[in-house]
Amino acid sequence: PDEAAEQKDASQIVEAFGWFAPVAVLRVGGTTGNTTPRVLGGKYQPGYTATFAYHELSGDAALFKLSILKGGVASATEKYCVQVTPAKGANALVGSTNTAAPVCSAQHDVGDASFYFINDTQDNVSVAAGNVSDASENDLKLMPLIITVHRVV
């Protein structure tokens, strides 16, 4: 903080604590009526939204594109840390003999040791079948997920 006195409409303390809150907490997946994977709901900080789209099956993993939007545009300057969690736990794969939770991940750039989420890039989120060999493409692409996005300074 600088030496300026706190003001109700411009509080440096409130701004600092705002960094602890996620930019977005998303619920994504498909529904019975519409099996296209997408953002089904969520909570956003003001000015933020997100899009989520299925791309393809690669081996035993469904690949998606998650875009974090600020003011309707994918930010090229903000840095994010993203966590992807299956919403149904260990028995989430419909019609399979799943005995382990699917492996969900978001792609973070580790080449320059920054570990920031690669925003608005194809295949930046994946859902793998874990130890299940009979999971279908639909099992993976329709997996209900909770995605938490934090801004990194």
Side-chain angles (χ1 to χ4, degrees):
D2 60 22
E3 298 298 320
E6 281 289 291
Q7 297 178 14
K8 182 178 179 180
D9 59 345
S11 170
Q12 294 178 23
I13 293 171
V14 171
E15 182 181 346
F17 277 107
W19 287 100
F20 290 110
V23 168
V25 178
L26 311 170
R27 185 171 56 93
V28 301
T31 61
T32 303
N34 185 345
T35 57
T36 303
R38 65 198 182 286
V39 176
L40 299 173
K43 182 171 176 133
Y44 302 92
Q45 283 190 12
Y48 288 89
T49 57
T51 60
F52 183 78
Y54 175 69
H55 178 229
E56 68 176 348
L57 186 71
S58 176
D60 66 347
L63 304 175
F64 301 89
K65 177 181 178 181
L66 173 65
S67 299
I68 310 302
L69 310 175
K70 184 176 182 183
V73 178
S75 175
T77 57
E78 287 199 341
K79 298 169 182 167
Y80 306 104
C81 180
V82 176
Q83 179 182 9
V84 183
T85 307
K88 286 188 169 182
N91 298 313
L93 300 179
V94 178
S96 72
T97 57
N98 186 38
T99 58
V103 178
C104 304
S105 65
Q107 184 178 358
H108 292 75
D109 184 4
V110 296
D112 64 359
S114 63
F115 297 97
Y116 302 132
F117 176 67
I118 300 176
N119 191 31
D120 199 40
T121 302
Q122 200 83 315
D123 306 341
N124 59 11
V125 170
S126 68
V127 178
N131 69 347
V132 182
S133 61
D134 63 345
S136 73
E137 181 173 5
N138 276 345
D139 292 338
L140 296 172
K141 84 175 187 180
L142 300 179
M143 175 71 57
L145 303 172
I146 302 297
I147 299 177
T148 306
V149 180
H150 283 274
R151 189 173 38 209
V152 179
V153 264

